[in-house]
Amino acid sequence: MIDIAALRADPASFEDAWNKRGLSVDVTALLALDEEVRHLKAESESLRNQVNVASREIGEVARSGGDVAAAKQRVREIGDRAKELARSCTEQEEVLTNQLLELPNPCLATVPAGADASANAVVATWGEPPRLDIVYKPHWDLATDLGILDLERGAKLSGSGFVVLRGDGPRLVRALLTFFLDHLTRQHGYTEVMVPHLVQPSVMRGTGQLPKFQAELYHCERDDLYLIPTAEVPVTNLHAGEILSEADLPRRYCAYTPCFRREAGAAGVGTRGMTRVHQFDKVEMVWLAHPDRTEQDLAALRGHAEEMLQALGLHYRVLDLCTGDTGFSAAHTYDLEVWSPGTGQWLEVSSCSTFTDFQARRAGIRYRPAGGGKPRLIHTLNGSGLAIPRCFISLLETYQQADGRVIIPEVLRPYMGGQESIGG
RNA sequence: GGACAGGUGGCAGAGUGGCUGAAUGCGCCGGUCUUGAAAACCGGAGAGGGGGCAACUCCUCCGUGGGUUCGAAUCCCACCCUGUCCGCCA
């Protein structure tokens, strides 16, 4: 959520930022509503003050045996009026807040302007596609032939978009997960957390999934709990409503969770195999960070994700997302895409973003400056580190051999009991 | 799921209708003392919002939401959460 006071102070820059996201916002109406809310608040507070003062007097008079019947009647009327005004103030404030909750985070000034994904900038490329003299099979054939992927039975159990892995398939997934978590905790001092996969609506609101993206979420109606679409949601909200000390920043967490996404409207294009599924595994990196270093922090976060792709030896590129393609809550995003030689596509395996204070304001995450003083909102950042299915795809396709085997990269072998290949 | 107990400031813990936004202790910050530290003593210190150039001032917040009252941390109702015991269970 944006800061209404900031909008008041500089409406033009917000309007401009939203325009760059392809959004036209009636800022004038927002500010008029804000004005009304504050007017109502001032009115009701001044009446409230009259009630407080008068009540004190009534108490004193009554104690010394005076007659307070008339005063009571008068104060009650003022009180009723104050209550009325306070009520309509709350109502209007709610209307305003609901509107604010639907507005995206303005992008940082450094983000390239552009309408859609075609304006994203490729800022780095690492490695090269594999060059064996073979026809590179797509993973849905390769993995099915190896007996480690069963799309049909996944669909039988849960419908399309759900997969069953078997044998070395799950084993490879566990190896990837453990490698990622070990790397982040041991090399970079992240704290690993294991969190609930079902969360309350307020938690979804904190990171920005609600109210706008309800349709993307699985919801358990009976308990009013949502299945998380990413570990970002519970992990970022770990410190919701808290005031951290400045010395504790940045707090860096990593977490493995399954992720559940309805992918409403995404059926059809590019959904073959396991490139886009309703349930997948992912390790997520989440930073609760100091607000003054957000771009440096984002660069570091992205670096951590890149290191792991490099360790796996996967050909990848980095996109600097343009304003039109940046997610709702984010202010600046880098996407990491791995090469899938079997399908001839780049697949997004990580999206590293800073959310500036947008999520922190929604979730109420602040820190107290070391020298004392008022609490300030922190900045939140996160990035996949990494999403399993697409790493799995790229890895299988990249390391496939003429004889149908798949070579396991060195870094994963310790996690697979020294196994050097799958199949054959 | 049933019974009982309880939810107050960073923590512990008073407070059961009126200068209580909240005693006291610990912790924290500043100062005095000390070569330095500790101890002791003095002082400071919650959050959000409105108004004012400012000194300052006003409103709200004692799990959440309603209600009673001139006035609620204190009384009433509902809900949530925690603890203990019982039941059930991986």
Side-chain angles (χ1 to χ4, degrees):
Chain A
M1 193 162 68
I2 62 138
D3 177 10
I4 186 71
L7 179 69
R8 214 181 287 143
D10 186 8
S13 79
F14 278 89
E15 225 168 344
D16 180 50
W18 284 321
N19 283 340
K20 283 186 181 149
R21 276 178 173 273
L23 197 72
S24 139
V25 177
D26 189 349
V27 172
T28 313
L30 282 175
L31 290 178
L33 189 51
D34 171 52
E35 187 64 40
E36 192 193 343
V37 168
R38 291 193 301 147
H39 174 72
L40 286 168
K41 184 168 277 173
E43 286 279 286
S44 77
E45 283 187 359
S46 115
L47 289 177
R48 189 69 215 159
N49 176 239
Q50 288 180 41
V51 171
N52 289 343
V53 170
S55 291
R56 225 168 291 149
E57 284 167 12
I58 288 173
E60 281 164 24
V61 173
R63 237 194 315 277
S64 56
D67 178 21
V68 293
K72 278 193 185 182
Q73 176 61 24
R74 192 177 56 83
V75 174
R76 153 184 263 157
E77 278 162 18
I78 299 173
D80 287 347
R81 177 88 186 116
K83 215 171 276 180
E84 236 174 79
L85 283 174
R87 193 164 294 147
S88 59
C89 178
T90 308
E91 275 169 22
Q92 293 308 301
E93 196 163 26
E94 214 178 299
V95 172
L96 177 60
T97 303
N98 287 340
Q99 290 179 12
L100 292 178
L101 284 173
E102 302 269 351
L103 295 173
N105 198 1
C107 289
L108 297 177
T110 51
V111 174
D116 54 48
S118 65
N120 295 339
V122 176
V123 293
T125 303
W126 188 92
E128 287 175 13
R131 295 197 194 284
L132 293 183
D133 187 21
I134 57 173
V135 174
Y136 279 89
K137 289 201 268 183
H139 67 281
W140 52 80
D141 289 335
L142 181 61
T144 304
D145 292 349
L146 287 168
I148 63 173
L149 171 67
D150 190 338
L151 293 168
E152 278 175 35
R153 291 197 174 87
K156 179 166 82 179
L157 294 174
S158 306
S160 81
F162 293 90
V163 306
V164 168
L165 298 178
R166 196 197 319 259
D168 282 342
R171 196 173 196 213
L172 179 58
V173 168
R174 285 189 289 109
L176 284 165
L177 290 172
T178 312
F179 164 61
F180 294 155
L181 290 167
D182 281 355
H183 182 83
L184 292 171
T185 55
R186 291 182 189 161
Q187 305 299 312
H188 297 297
Y190 282 73
T191 302
E192 182 179 354
V193 288
M194 206 169 256
V195 293
H197 305 340
L198 285 165
V199 299
Q200 319 240 32
S202 63
V203 173
M204 285 293 182
R205 205 173 313 117
T207 29
Q209 280 71 25
L210 287 180
K212 204 169 172 165
F213 304 102
Q214 166 104 31
E216 289 295 329
L217 301 170
Y218 287 102
H219 183 219
C220 303
E221 206 169 313
R222 232 184 128 110
D223 302 287
D224 199 16
L225 290 171
Y226 291 86
L227 277 163
I228 57 170
T230 158
E232 162 193 351
V233 174
V235 177
T236 304
N237 279 285
L238 230 35
H239 296 286
E242 296 182 17
I243 300 174
L244 307 170
S245 70
E246 183 166 18
D248 280 348
L249 301 180
R251 287 182 101 111
R252 303 188 302 176
Y253 291 108
C254 62
Y256 152 70
T257 70
C259 303
F260 302 91
R261 301 186 180 180
R262 296 192 60 237
E263 302 291 355
V269 193
T271 58
R272 187 143 182 218
M274 50 192 298
T275 52
R276 183 181 290 270
V277 286
H278 293 305
Q279 176 186 329
F280 63 95
D281 296 300
K282 178 161 66 68
V283 170
E284 185 75 4
M285 308 176 280
V286 175
W287 291 35
L288 305 185
H290 198 284
D292 295 345
R293 298 187 281 271
T294 223
E295 283 287 14
Q296 294 98 299
D297 285 348
L298 178 58
L301 176 77
R302 170 191 145 189
H304 296 165
E306 286 193 54
E307 280 169 13
M308 296 190 285
L309 286 176
Q310 290 173 13
L312 293 174
L314 298 177
H315 178 40
Y316 72 89
R317 65 179 191 177
V318 182
L319 302 181
D320 189 356
L321 296 197
C322 74
T323 52
D325 202 32
T326 299
F328 177 79
S329 298
H332 188 189
T333 299
Y334 291 105
D335 273 3
L336 271 49
E337 297 183 330
V338 285
W339 179 245
S340 157
T343 69
Q345 288 177 303
W346 290 101
L347 302 176
E348 182 189 328
V349 283
S350 181
S351 195
C352 299
S353 307
T354 171
F355 301 86
T356 58
D357 61 13
F358 189 83
Q359 293 180 327
R361 183 172 295 104
R362 289 173 165 244
I365 315 170
R366 297 172 294 172
Y367 75 95
R368 189 175 306 279
K374 289 282 170 196
R376 285 179 71 193
L377 292 168
I378 60 150
H379 277 195
T380 58
L381 299 91
N382 69 56
S384 331
L386 300 152
I388 294 298
R390 292 171 184 175
C391 287
F392 184 91
I393 290 169
S394 174
L395 198 148
L396 290 177
E397 292 180 358
T398 298
Y399 292 113
Q400 61 183 296
Q401 306 296 303
D403 59 8
R405 286 182 312 135
V406 170
I407 303 294
I408 296 167
E410 297 270 359
V411 287
L412 292 183
R413 290 180 194 172
Y415 296 101
M416 295 190 67
Q419 195 175 328
E420 291 175 10
S421 68
I422 294 173

